[in-house]
């Protein structure tokens, strides 16, 4: 659950094409757009398996409402995350509801990464050492400073240009998750009626 929340919550807002030279530049650009939609491809490399685990699907991220995460392959998984609730549906099974009260640790992780959504580098600096490689195409490495984050991850690496293009999660136990984000758009600028309905659970 915690790892899946990381996969979901490290989407951030689209960036302009201007060069990012400082964390302050990045903070400003990460908070520009309230809504983004796109496609994801995920590859998870695990020591227990000879072949990587592949998945793909679509996402909708709203700063005010939360995240809709629709995995299409290799099997359908539908997830809707808000500030304090998570609803997940596997294939044709009934939806499962998890609240912050049910699993406070999972929502501790999610609240940390909401700071990424809002470009809140002040909060992130309290939890991570941030290393920025600047430029029009930039890379940001987050290295956890303390438990519980450093018990799960060695580092989290994001890179992009106008948008975040790739995300790599490097776990302490050696597993690596690589994600690629494509077809990203900020249009339409508001949620559709169908998307709004999904957040009302």
């Amino acid at each position: 659950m915690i790892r899946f929340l990381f996969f979901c919550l490290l989407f951030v807002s689209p960036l302009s094409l201007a060069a990012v030279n400082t964390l302050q530049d990045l903070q400003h650009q990460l908070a520009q757009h309230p809504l983004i939609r796109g496609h994801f491809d995920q590859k998870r490399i695990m020591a227990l398996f000879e072949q990587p685990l592949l998945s793909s699907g679509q996402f909708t991220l709203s700063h005010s409402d939360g995240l809709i995460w629709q995995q299409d392959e290799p099997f359908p998984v539908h997830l809707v995350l808000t500030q304090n609730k998570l609803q997940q549906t596997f294939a044709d099974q009934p939806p499962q509801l998890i609240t912050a009260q049910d699993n406070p640790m999972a929502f501790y992780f999610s609240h940390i990464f909401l700071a990424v959504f809002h470009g809140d580098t002040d909060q992130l600096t309290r939890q991570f050492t941030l290393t920025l490689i600047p430029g029009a195409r930039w890379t940001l490495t987050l290295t956890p400073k303390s438990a519980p984050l450093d018990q799960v991850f060695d580092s989290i690496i994001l890179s992009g240009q106008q948008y975040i293009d790739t995300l790599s999660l490097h776990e302490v136990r050696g597993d690596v998750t690589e994600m690629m984000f494509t077809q990203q758009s900020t249009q339409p600028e508001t949620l559709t009626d169908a998307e709004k309905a999904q957040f009302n659970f």
Side-chain angles (χ1 to χ4, degrees):
M1 172 61 66
I2 289 173
R3 292 177 179 82
F4 190 71
L5 286 174
F6 268 100
F7 306 155
C8 299
L9 288 169
L10 277 164
F11 293 105
V12 298
S13 302
L15 305 180
S16 73
L17 293 177
V20 169
N21 295 313
T22 67
L23 288 174
Q24 288 72 28
D25 292 342
L26 188 59
Q27 176 173 321
H28 173 73
Q29 294 196 58
L30 293 181
Q32 284 185 2
H33 297 277
L35 186 63
I36 180 172
R37 300 172 179 85
H39 176 88
F40 71 86
D41 290 285
Q42 176 180 304
K43 178 169 69 173
R44 183 159 170 77
I45 303 169
M46 304 177 67
L48 296 177
F49 299 93
E50 292 186 3
Q51 299 297 323
L53 305 179
L54 305 178
S55 61
S56 63
Q58 313 294 323
F59 69 90
T60 299
L61 174 65
S62 165
H63 286 193
S64 59
D65 294 274
L67 175 72
I68 300 171
W69 182 266
Q70 177 63 56
Q71 176 181 300
D72 301 320
E73 299 292 341
F75 52 84
V77 178
H78 185 76
L79 179 145
V80 182
L81 176 68
T82 67
Q83 182 74 17
N84 296 305
K85 294 188 296 182
L86 170 67
Q87 180 175 274
Q88 55 186 357
T89 306
F90 295 92
D92 296 326
Q93 300 179 12
Q96 300 176 347
L97 178 64
I98 301 171
T99 67
Q101 184 176 0
D102 296 331
N103 194 333
M105 182 57 69
F107 281 87
Y108 162 79
F109 278 80
S110 71
H111 291 161
I112 288 174
F113 281 92
L114 285 175
V116 178
F117 296 166
H118 302 300
D120 187 355
T121 56
D122 291 338
Q123 180 174 345
L124 291 174
T125 300
R126 291 195 290 269
Q127 304 290 339
F128 299 91
T129 299
L130 306 183
T131 304
L132 175 68
I133 299 176
R137 177 166 293 280
W138 50 268
T139 299
L140 180 66
T141 300
L142 288 72
T143 305
K145 291 181 177 180
S146 60
L149 291 167
D150 67 351
Q151 297 175 350
V152 179
F153 296 102
D154 280 331
S155 63
I156 300 166
I157 304 172
L158 306 94
S159 66
Q161 189 173 8
Q162 182 178 6
Y163 300 90
I164 283 189
D165 297 324
T166 63
L167 162 67
S168 298
L169 306 175
H170 298 262
E171 300 182 26
V172 171
R173 65 184 184 183
D175 295 346
V176 177
T177 300
E178 299 175 349
M179 302 194 72
M180 179 178 294
F181 312 128
T182 57
Q183 304 174 31
Q184 300 180 79
S185 174
T186 60
Q187 301 297 322
E189 295 182 349
T190 59
L191 293 172
T192 65
D193 290 341
E195 290 167 340
K196 291 178 182 177
Q198 293 184 66
F199 285 116
N200 294 324
F201 63 91

